Amino acid sequence: MIWTILGSLFSSWAAEVGALTWLGLALVAAVLEVSVPHFGCAFISAGAVFAAIAAYLGLSVPVQFATFVVVLTVSIVALRAKLLDRVAGPGLPSRTDPLIGRHGQVTHDIDPILGTGRVVVGGEDWAARSSEAIAAGTRVRVVGADGIVLEVTRA
């Protein structure tokens, strides 16, 4: 009878210690996530919370680790890209995107073979290229951009 009572106390104690250990890991991961946000430690924290629940329910240590790994993996696969897209925003605005569709004038002949040429669009001088040769003084329309080089056609 004493062994039964001690056994139940020990299993209860082990479940509580296991749950507290997992919760400690969850807390450390959460603090790291807040300190250095990169959406990695948050998933460790989520997995540790679910492993703590498994430990509290008295499930074995391999089941706890399996729960941790499954929750960690599923949360990373399902949520990380969405969270990064939402937090990261659109990024740096392009300087050339607003110029697409606008008209300009060729200031230096555009040679499609050499890839040389310059245009003035919106009062600014830009490197330009085209699939056809265009002489200086010709009016052009911007149809695209490759980095800071405008792609133009005759207007």
Side-chain angles (χ1 to χ4, degrees):
M1 176 139 137
I2 286 184
W3 291 112
T4 309
I5 295 171
L6 287 177
S8 68
L9 284 176
F10 178 74
S11 67
S12 173
W13 176 81
E16 289 176 10
V17 168
L20 290 174
T21 302
W22 283 111
L23 288 176
L25 175 64
L27 179 66
V28 168
V31 168
L32 280 174
E33 181 65 38
V34 171
S35 301
V36 185
H38 67 286
F39 292 121
C41 293
F43 302 117
I44 293 172
S45 187
V49 167
F50 279 91
I53 293 169
Y56 184 75
L57 295 175
L59 300 175
S60 67
V61 173
V63 172
Q64 294 172 32
F65 276 107
T67 303
F68 174 75
V69 170
V70 167
V71 170
L72 175 69
T73 304
V74 168
S75 62
I76 286 175
V77 169
L79 298 174
R80 188 169 198 275
K82 292 177 186 176
L83 289 173
L84 284 177
D85 286 344
R86 176 170 270 185
V87 172
L92 293 175
S94 169
R95 289 186 59 211
T96 55
D97 283 346
L99 299 176
I100 296 175
R102 293 187 64 185
H103 290 85
Q105 188 163 0
V106 177
T107 56
H108 293 85
D109 293 345
I110 297 175
D111 186 346
I113 296 171
L114 297 175
T116 59
R118 300 205 64 85
V119 295
V120 171
V121 179
E124 295 180 341
D125 183 55
W126 293 89
R129 70 171 169 232
S130 177
S131 59
E132 60 180 317
I134 303 175
T138 306
R139 188 167 163 84
V140 292
R141 184 171 57 89
V142 179
V143 294
D146 181 15
I148 60 170
V149 178
L150 301 179
E151 297 172 6
V152 298
T153 61
R154 293 181 194 271

